[in-house]
Amino acid sequence: MSEPQALTFTPRDNIHTEPRVIRFVIVALAVLFLLIFVVLPLIVVFASAFSRGLSAYFAALTEPEALSAIRLTLLIAAISVSLNLVFGVIAAWAIAKFEFAGKTFLVTLIDLPFSVSPVISGLVFVLLFGAQGFFGPWLQAHDIRVLFAVPGIALATIFVTFPFVARALIPLMQEQGTQEEEAAISLGASGLQTFFRVTLPNIKWGLLYGVLLCNARAMGEFGAVSVVSGHIRGETNTMPLLVEILYNEYQFVSSFAIASLLAMLALITLVVKTILERRLDEGQVPSDD
Amino acid sequence: MNGVPRRRSTLPGFGLTMGLTLTWLSVIILIPLAGLFLKTFDLSLEQFWGIVTSRRTLNALRISFGLSFLAACVNLVMGMVVVWALVRYRFPGRRLFDAIVDIPFALPTAVAGVALTQLFAQKGWLGAPLAELGIKVAFTPVGIFIAMVFIGIPFVVRTVQPVLLDLDVEIEEAAASLGANRWHTVFRVILPSLIPAMLTGFALAFARAVGEYGSVIFIAGNLPNVSEIAPLLIVIRLSEFRYADATAIAVVMLLAAFIIIFAVNRLQRWAQTRIPAH
Amino acid sequence: MTIEVRNIVKKFGSFAALDNVDLKVGDGELLALLGPSGSGKTTLLRIIAGLDWPDSGEVFFDGENALDHGASERHVGFVFQHYALFRHMTVFENVAFGLRVQPRGVRKSEDAIRARVKELLDLVQLDWLADRYPSQLSGGQRQRIALARALAIEPRILLLDEPFGALDAKVRKELRQWLRSLHQEIHVTSIFVTHDQEEALEVANRVVVMDKGRIEQIGTPGDVYDNPATAFVHGFIGESIVLPVEVRDGAVKLGGRKLDIVANGAAPGAANLFVRRHDMQIGPAGSGSLEGSVQHVRTFGPIQRAEVALCGSEGKTVIEIDAPRDRELRTGETIGLQPRRYRIFAAPE
């Protein structure tokens, strides 16, 4: 978020601001609300994870089941982020650099996964690839596992993280316009040269921003993955699924140990995101008209 | 016609990128969603209606939509308090709190779920004092409501914040110079120009809460007809291999989601015509 | 390199940006496309560059069909209105870009590229800015870098879109002269788009005046100023006094009164009389075919500008005239006016 323009208040300025009492009450309410609803749950995660000490914490994280969940989560994130990265850039190029009818509708379609319940995002793949699904019998006949295996989990994750990269790039690329690309073309550059030498350097922070959010969601997705994973221990459990299983088995320390890793991921994501947002704000060209 | 050019645009790659975009979109989003709607045709209209209006389904939908609405209302009010404090006032830690607003976006839902449950459980840091007051949160509808408030926090704040930041100070000075007191200025001049953004934030928070699963199911108790949300019912029906039932509930929720997207789009267009971007 | 444009039509939706445009540009010319915004001048420039494509029509470079080639193959230097400098590259890299993207085999060696960029930066007198980024430059500097970048590919044609549009008045004047002398030095066929008549008349060898997607007149600066071909050109270039008249039997009437001027073959019916401000001959009352009373006089430089209310005109037509300082005008004075040079164009329907 950009820094608001500094308003300087004189003590008795009743034109620009409210009386001091009201100001105090509003700030106190806001701070209290955020502390109770956001900060406290976050602290609970770490407090519970470390409640039996460091050794219990690290023991929980080095359990074979935990390690396999971490590996699977990284694999799924790698697959879904890289695919969405490529297609996000491609979609943003088509949408931001060209004019065509139905553009708004296309953007709405790309945004669609954000409005679909995660459970439904998983369900649609069960209906396609499940035993009773459209492709189920064919897959079974050819002995291909999609559901309750890596491909299904990856598909559901790609579905829920679909919009992130395109969404981060489209407004940025629209704002930058096509002039620099036109200049490059008129100077003799090919399409790919133009993209890699002119477009990509201009959108790199926005791209990183999209990838960051995409990755955070890919690693943390629960509902959609839960529906398609089948919860096969040591095989198809991602970190969020393992958090659930351990919690339901009253292994609170182990559950919160895994949860603390995910919470750390979220915090790092937020820090990097804030830095990137500042970069993006600075990167905006001062318009000369 | 002579000399009609073969190429129509300067920048290359429109056909290729558009083709790939549409293909990828179809494979990942459109075909799976279409499959969901197709699946409902396995059911007759009476069957569909029977599933959707069965007591358990209706209660689940009522719980999901009702509590989401309540939670979105709280998010609207508290979101305005937070955004006002963040934009208009200086206080220690303001930038930290600004960043904190995004945590519900970033924190995986399962983590939020177990954390909120732990916090509000009978022996939890907040659950214990509340229990002494006779308020039980975890494993009741109140718990669902709390979880929904948590995940909805960023929406109102992040939609209203840029609009409030952009608001010209001169408008307020003009109002004051015309004799308005601060109360008038805030409620007659500032808030009305924020209404489209507020409604958009409300709708987004509502939509998110309706579909939410991970952060709710741990704290909900999941008692049929009492504290069972619609997404959970879908999962239960799936685990019972009652695919048609799961699909019917999903279609109802999807349609609701589409209506909300449509409403948000209209809201945004309305906001643009009312307050032209400068 | 000569350019020939034939029957170009370009529509954006139902709006005709270019409506059957024909144009020939000779080798080494410095041509101005002049017109108000929306006249189609930028669209024409972009079509020549290959940045836009016409709905129909042809473009030839030295007799060769240019529409067979995309923008990157036309070897046309294009200078964008807002410069379109690559913001993430230094000035040096911006200028070197066109040389670096050449296919292997054609591409110059790194040393040759450096030498060429240096040469170009010297040409635009900005060699000391080589390591800066575009955001660190002033508007006029960016403009000259954009020009150097366009020249780097040794373009066969140089196209400039509102080259001085985004600059302030003083820098503009300096750059105009600079562009003229640069053109004399490199002598590349050049076209620039402008909405500023002074700029067009001062810089170009020939001026193409455009309006509503059509070419109104092509001529030397002197031509378009002194012999405007249409009412639009007369009104657009230079300040004009416009009086509604009626042409009948070779006579010209203003408000029922016959004027002492000839119709010059203007078609009978409603028409407009166009006179330059300084082309009104001033004499004592009764000396010309028009008469008016001086309402207000301002004096600056070599001229005095007077607002004159015409007598006999119902509703009091007020015109502004420029008169030399040798005859002092006084407020309230009645004077006679006679157009020295004038044009009559049929009134628009």
Side-chain angles (χ1 to χ4, degrees):
Chain A
M1 275 300 133
S2 61
E3 188 65 7
Q5 67 269 54
L7 298 172
T8 43
F9 303 131
T10 52
R12 283 208 219 141
D13 186 343
N14 57 1
I15 293 176
H16 296 108
T17 191
E18 290 74 40
R20 182 178 292 185
V21 182
I22 293 181
R23 263 161 31 205
F24 179 79
V25 170
I26 288 178
V27 170
L29 266 176
V31 166
L32 209 63
F33 177 72
L34 291 177
L35 282 177
I36 291 178
F37 273 87
V38 185
V39 177
L40 218 47
L42 205 61
I43 295 175
V44 165
V45 172
F46 291 99
S48 308
F50 291 106
S51 59
R52 298 253 171 83
L54 271 180
S55 56
Y57 177 79
F58 286 111
L61 288 184
T62 45
E63 287 276 322
E65 225 179 330
L67 290 177
S68 114
I70 294 170
R71 263 197 304 273
L72 180 62
T73 299
L74 292 176
L75 173 68
I76 295 295
I79 295 172
S80 48
V81 170
S82 49
L83 282 172
N84 276 332
L85 164 71
V86 171
F87 283 94
V89 171
I90 288 174
W93 178 267
I95 289 169
K97 298 291 182 190
F98 299 92
E99 289 308 317
F100 55 91
K103 187 189 273 196
T104 332
F105 183 64
L106 183 59
V107 174
T108 310
L109 286 183
I110 288 177
D111 272 347
L112 209 54
F114 279 165
S115 338
V116 175
S117 171
V119 167
I120 297 175
S121 313
L123 170 67
V124 292
F125 292 105
V126 173
L127 294 180
L128 283 186
F129 302 116
Q132 305 174 28
F134 292 100
F135 304 122
W138 186 88
L139 289 171
Q140 240 164 11
H142 292 79
D143 204 22
I144 303 169
R145 295 205 65 148
V146 175
L147 226 49
F148 311 137
V150 171
I153 301 174
L155 273 175
T157 308
I158 292 169
F159 183 102
V160 294
T161 55
F162 190 87
F164 283 103
V165 175
R167 238 187 132 127
L169 291 183
I170 290 169
L172 182 68
M173 284 165 77
Q174 273 175 337
E175 190 195 303
Q176 290 179 346
T178 54
Q179 279 218 340
E180 286 184 42
E181 281 82 9
E182 285 181 355
I185 296 277
S186 81
L187 290 167
S190 71
L192 284 179
Q193 280 174 325
T194 304
F195 175 76
F196 282 106
R197 286 174 183 237
V198 175
T199 311
L200 198 57
N202 278 339
I203 61 169
K204 60 177 183 240
W205 299 120
L207 188 60
L208 209 56
Y209 184 83
V211 165
L212 180 80
L213 298 187
C214 182
N215 178 64
R217 181 71 193 266
M219 289 191 170
E221 178 52 29
F222 176 72
V225 171
S226 167
V227 171
V228 296
S229 111
H231 305 275
I232 305 166
R233 300 196 85 138
E235 266 186 55
T236 62
N237 277 334
T238 61
M239 290 164 73
L241 295 182
L242 192 58
V243 168
E244 182 199 22
I245 290 172
L246 294 172
Y247 191 82
N248 287 340
E249 290 173 349
Y250 304 103
Q251 302 191 42
F252 292 132
V253 171
S254 306
S255 172
F256 278 105
I258 307 282
S260 75
L261 287 188
L262 290 169
M264 234 117 70
L265 167 78
L267 290 178
I268 293 169
T269 301
L270 280 187
V271 171
V272 179
K273 173 174 167 278
T274 314
I275 296 170
L276 284 180
E277 274 165 356
R278 215 158 296 159
R279 285 271 175 162
L280 281 169
D281 280 349
E282 282 165 13
Q284 275 169 359
V285 265
S287 56
D288 41 16
D289 49 352
Chain B
M1 283 284 220
N2 51 359
V4 174
R6 283 176 284 121
R7 273 164 284 206
R8 316 217 93 227
S9 107
T10 325
L11 298 185
F14 178 67
L16 182 69
T17 54
M18 187 52 109
L20 283 171
T21 301
L22 291 178
T23 310
W24 183 240
L25 182 73
S26 304
V27 168
I28 297 296
I29 311 289
L30 300 183
I31 293 174
L33 282 179
L36 179 74
F37 283 98
L38 268 182
K39 186 76 185 173
T40 53
F41 291 117
D42 288 359
L43 296 167
S44 70
L45 203 61
E46 291 93 83
Q47 281 173 315
F48 180 83
W49 193 245
I51 294 167
V52 171
T53 56
S54 75
R55 181 158 167 265
R56 192 166 169 189
T57 313
L58 270 186
N59 277 325
L61 289 172
R62 196 173 298 145
I63 290 163
S64 274
F65 282 90
L67 288 176
S68 296
F69 184 82
L70 281 183
C73 289
V74 170
N75 276 323
L76 181 61
V77 174
M78 289 316 293
M80 286 309 292
V81 170
V82 170
V83 86
W84 198 268
L86 290 178
V87 173
R88 287 311 177 99
Y89 306 144
R90 296 295 102 116
F91 56 93
R94 187 183 60 85
R95 302 192 57 166
L96 185 66
F97 280 102
D98 194 342
I100 280 173
V101 168
D102 278 335
I103 285 180
F105 271 157
L107 199 65
T109 54
V111 178
V114 294
L116 288 170
T117 313
Q118 197 78 345
L119 187 61
F120 285 98
Q122 223 147 13
K123 287 181 184 164
W125 294 350
L126 291 178
L130 284 171
E132 278 190 23
L133 296 171
I135 304 169
K136 199 168 174 297
V137 176
F139 317 123
T140 70
V142 184
I144 302 178
F145 166 77
I146 297 273
M148 286 174 166
V149 169
F150 171 82
I151 49 125
I153 288 170
F155 291 96
V156 173
V157 178
R158 290 298 182 237
T159 46
V160 175
Q161 196 171 31
V163 184
L164 187 57
L165 274 171
D166 254 14
L167 217 61
D168 207 338
V169 186
E170 279 184 14
I171 296 177
E172 291 166 52
E173 291 171 350
S177 76
L178 292 167
N181 61 28
R182 186 63 191 163
W183 183 263
H184 282 140
T185 307
V186 170
F187 283 90
R188 297 230 180 140
V189 179
I190 302 178
L191 281 187
S193 51
L194 299 179
I195 282 176
M198 288 163 68
L199 289 178
T200 304
F202 175 86
L204 292 174
F206 176 67
R208 172 72 199 262
V210 167
E212 183 55 27
Y213 177 70
S215 47
V216 176
I217 54 158
F218 295 94
I219 201 173
N222 306 329
L223 221 61
N225 300 317
V226 178
S227 56
E228 182 180 70
I229 54 168
L232 178 66
L233 189 55
I234 294 178
V235 173
I236 290 173
R237 290 303 185 223
L238 265 181
S239 66
E240 296 165 350
F241 299 105
R242 289 165 68 178
Y243 284 15
D245 291 40
T247 308
I249 305 167
V251 163
V252 172
M253 295 188 64
L254 258 190
L255 289 179
F258 290 162
I259 292 171
I260 296 171
I261 302 177
F262 182 73
V264 168
N265 280 348
R266 292 304 294 261
L267 266 173
Q268 237 123 37
R269 207 164 302 165
W270 177 55
Q272 268 165 14
T273 52
R274 239 175 55 120
I275 306 156
H278 26 245
Chain C
M1 165 97 26
T2 64
I3 306 168
E4 189 178 350
V5 169
R6 275 189 216 150
N7 301 324
I8 290 285
V9 175
K10 172 75 179 175
K11 290 197 165 98
F12 294 110
S14 61
F15 172 74
L18 291 174
D19 186 4
N20 247 325
V21 168
D22 287 288
L23 178 64
K24 278 185 184 171
V25 187
D27 188 35
E29 265 198 278
L30 177 53
L31 189 86
L33 292 180
L34 173 66
S37 60
S39 59
K41 55 195 192 304
T42 294
T43 306
L44 180 57
L45 196 75
R46 289 173 60 88
I47 285 174
I48 295 172
L51 297 173
D52 265 329
W53 296 82
D55 297 331
S56 65
E58 290 165 300
V59 179
F60 295 98
F61 293 171
D62 269 350
E64 186 197 335
N65 189 353
L67 294 181
D68 283 344
H69 303 283
S72 59
E73 302 151 0
R74 286 195 198 175
H75 284 280
V76 168
F78 198 96
V79 178
F80 291 80
Q81 184 178 4
H82 297 290
Y83 325 123
L85 293 176
F86 306 128
R87 65 194 98 177
H88 62 285
M89 294 181 199
T90 60
V91 162
F92 184 93
E93 286 303 322
N94 261 284
V95 178
F97 183 89
L99 303 172
R100 292 204 194 281
V101 296
Q102 280 178 335
R104 238 177 269 274
V106 187
R107 198 188 307 158
K108 293 187 166 84
S109 73
E110 183 62 27
D111 285 345
I113 290 177
R114 294 198 159 271
R116 173 80 181 131
V117 173
K118 172 92 179 46
E119 193 183 308
L120 285 159
L121 288 176
D122 283 342
L123 180 71
V124 299
Q125 299 151 6
L126 290 176
D127 50 321
W128 50 287
L129 289 176
D131 296 326
R132 301 270 186 95
Y133 284 89
S135 59
Q136 299 167 306
L137 307 184
S138 73
Q141 289 167 343
R142 286 182 208 178
Q143 178 60 59
R144 283 188 278 167
I145 296 302
L147 193 54
R149 183 178 69 176
L151 292 174
I153 59 170
E154 286 167 40
R156 307 184 292 173
I157 297 165
L158 187 60
L159 304 175
L160 307 101
D161 185 10
E162 295 275 5
F164 314 123
L167 303 172
D168 54 52
K170 190 161 170 289
V171 183
R172 231 173 203 200
K173 289 226 163 189
E174 285 167 18
L175 279 182
R176 271 183 212 165
Q177 280 157 14
W178 176 79
L179 178 64
R180 246 208 106 85
S181 56
L182 184 80
H183 179 256
Q184 267 157 13
E185 200 172 324
I186 58 177
H187 221 72
V188 175
T189 310
S190 306
I191 305 178
F192 71 97
V193 155
T194 179
H195 62 268
D196 181 341
Q197 42 156 317
E198 213 180 301
E199 200 164 282
L201 300 181
E202 220 172 272
V203 179
N205 304 125
R206 269 201 314 156
V207 178
V208 177
V209 187
M210 295 186 67
D211 183 42
K212 294 183 183 138
R214 289 166 185 272
I215 291 179
E216 294 275 325
Q217 187 173 6
I218 305 177
T220 63
D223 266 351
V224 292
Y225 190 88
D226 292 328
N227 299 308
T230 65
F232 172 80
V233 177
H234 206 306
F236 188 69
I237 296 178
E239 308 270 10
S240 300
I241 299 164
V242 186
L243 293 170
V245 294
E246 199 181 339
V247 179
R248 191 170 294 159
D249 309 328
V252 182
K253 287 181 173 174
L254 173 67
R257 254 181 65 198
K258 188 166 173 294
L259 299 181
D260 184 19
I261 56 179
V262 286
N264 268 346
N272 282 318
L273 171 68
F274 284 77
V275 189
R276 298 280 182 216
R277 276 180 184 167
H278 54 82
D279 278 339
M280 274 298 187
Q281 174 85 43
I282 299 166
S287 68
S289 50
L290 291 165
E291 206 164 79
S293 70
V294 178
Q295 294 200 314
H296 188 81
V297 183
R298 277 168 300 152
T299 307
F300 43 84
I303 60 152
Q304 45 188 344
R305 177 159 300 169
E307 283 173 24
V308 179
L310 291 187
C311 305
S313 69
E314 283 169 45
K316 294 244 170 191
T317 312
V318 178
I319 60 173
E320 271 196 344
I321 57 168
D322 289 346
R325 292 278 290 270
D326 50 8
R327 187 194 188 287
E328 197 88 5
L329 290 175
R330 277 183 310 276
T331 307
E333 181 187 3
T334 303
I335 53 173
L337 296 164
Q338 178 65 29
R340 264 190 301 253
R341 296 160 58 105
Y342 58 88
R343 297 287 304 242
I344 296 167
F345 296 106
E349 277 133 46

